[in-house]
Amino acid sequence: MGGMSPLFRRKSSQERVVTLIGKPGCHLCDDAQIVIEKVCGDLGVPWEHKDITQDQGLHDQYWEQIPVVLVDGRQHTFWRVDEQRLRKALTD
């Protein structure tokens, strides 16, 4: 608990962002979005949705895995989003 940590923690929480990569009509993507909305809403973390059918790079990278969830631009999980695990990733 040095003098740095409160400042660092506050700064990092502001910079956090969750990205959901999915496609229209994807049941697992809808399930993932419900979890993300709940967790991000509780924690005040912004989130965004990216449509894999609109982005060739995402399509090539993630097609086999959607929905894919990124935390701060790094892959957190795919297919099924675990609410407790996501919450932990955003509060650690």
Side-chain angles (χ1 to χ4, degrees):
M1 276 300 182
M4 292 288 291
S5 83
L7 185 70
F8 176 73
R9 176 164 289 144
R10 190 160 62 242
K11 184 170 184 291
S12 68
S13 70
Q14 282 177 353
E15 289 172 357
R16 315 226 66 156
V17 61
V18 175
T19 306
L20 172 61
I21 300 167
K23 69 175 171 62
C26 161
H27 178 63
L28 282 179
C29 302
D30 295 341
D31 290 348
Q33 183 169 328
I34 291 166
V35 175
I36 289 168
E37 283 177 347
K38 181 176 180 204
V39 173
C40 290
D42 285 351
L43 299 176
V45 172
W47 70 279
E48 60 185 356
H49 185 270
K50 292 190 175 173
D51 181 349
I52 202 166
T53 65
Q54 303 296 315
D55 186 316
Q56 189 62 47
L58 291 177
H59 186 283
D60 292 347
Q61 193 170 356
Y62 294 122
W63 181 253
E64 297 287 322
Q65 298 184 326
I66 59 166
V68 175
V69 179
L70 310 181
V71 173
D72 304 336
R74 287 191 300 275
Q75 187 164 341
H76 168 70
T77 193
F78 62 97
W79 293 337
R80 295 202 176 276
V81 185
D82 182 89
E83 182 182 335
Q84 297 309 323
R85 190 167 162 255
L86 179 60
R87 200 176 285 276
K88 188 171 187 307
L90 292 170
T91 51
D92 273 358

